Amino acid sequence: MSHHFTRIGKWQAALALGLALALTGCSTPHIPKPAPGSSSGLAWSGRMGLQVQDPLEQEQSFSASFHLQGSPEQGSLDVFNPLGSQIAKLQWQPGSALLQQGERITQSDSLQELLRQSLGTVLPVQALFSWLQGHNASAEGWQVDLSRHSEGRITAQRITPLPHATLRVVLQPAD
């Protein structure tokens, strides 16, 4: 059971930040709004899903609600279960990143390193923030579909390296 919890925790972190990868969403356009108390950060909320197809392991799927705010340099990601309880919180700033899952806390000197440690791979955080804003930024090994961004939907697929992954995000309209 501990192994299962760890694997789910990894995907929660991936999705939470994994927003940095792909989105698919609702039928109402989403306009990012400034994060509270921040003049430069933006905020997004919605649902995300991650599907990982590893030929050597069973397919893994995960979905959750999220709230992401900030920028690739500094921000936070909150991940919630279907009942609305927080299951993970990821915070980062220059020189520091922290992932909290219940009582378990993982720290690193950088967001990329924390993601690598938690997920076994690096996620395209810079590209993710661009995708959320509707900009087609390239990320090595990833393909993004922004054709439905105006509807709050983005889908990103990792083609290389293995395992293949598909990230979908459905954004909620800004308040």
Side-chain angles (χ1 to χ4, degrees):
M1 182 163 179
S2 174
H3 175 71
H4 178 67
F5 177 78
T6 302
R7 173 159 248 124
I8 289 175
K10 290 178 181 181
W11 298 125
Q12 291 168 350
L15 288 175
L17 254 165
L19 291 177
L21 305 174
L23 313 160
T24 175
C26 62
S27 60
T28 306
H30 174 81
I31 300 170
K33 60 184 179 182
S38 169
S39 59
S40 62
L42 297 175
W44 298 268
S45 293
R47 292 199 48 81
M48 60 183 150
L50 180 66
Q51 183 179 26
V52 179
Q53 304 94 27
D54 188 333
L56 302 177
E57 295 185 28
Q58 184 177 8
E59 182 177 293
Q60 300 288 324
S61 295
F62 176 79
S63 65
S65 297
F66 72 91
H67 179 76
L68 170 68
Q69 68 179 41
S71 69
E73 295 77 29
Q74 182 173 344
S76 66
L77 173 67
D78 295 296
V79 182
F80 306 93
N81 68 19
L83 300 176
S85 298
Q86 187 174 38
I87 53 179
K89 182 174 189 76
L90 181 62
Q91 296 176 291
W92 63 96
Q93 62 186 11
S96 175
L98 177 92
L99 173 62
Q100 182 173 358
Q101 296 169 288
E103 299 295 318
R104 181 178 169 196
I105 297 175
T106 307
Q107 293 181 295
S108 180
D109 293 340
S110 74
L111 177 58
Q112 289 293 358
E113 180 59 23
L114 180 60
L115 291 174
R116 189 194 62 71
Q117 289 173 8
S118 299
L119 306 172
T121 188
V122 176
L123 298 175
V125 175
Q126 190 77 36
L128 173 62
F129 276 89
S130 292
W131 298 340
L132 286 166
Q133 295 176 59
H135 305 297
N136 191 359
S138 64
E140 187 174 340
W142 287 87
Q143 293 178 343
V144 65
D145 178 359
L146 296 175
S147 64
R148 297 185 66 194
H149 182 270
S150 64
E151 300 170 12
R153 296 177 176 264
I154 299 171
T155 300
Q157 295 183 320
R158 183 176 61 210
I159 308 303
T160 60
L162 290 176
H164 294 172
T166 301
L167 177 63
R168 292 180 174 86
V169 177
V170 177
L171 298 172
Q172 294 176 345
D175 294 333

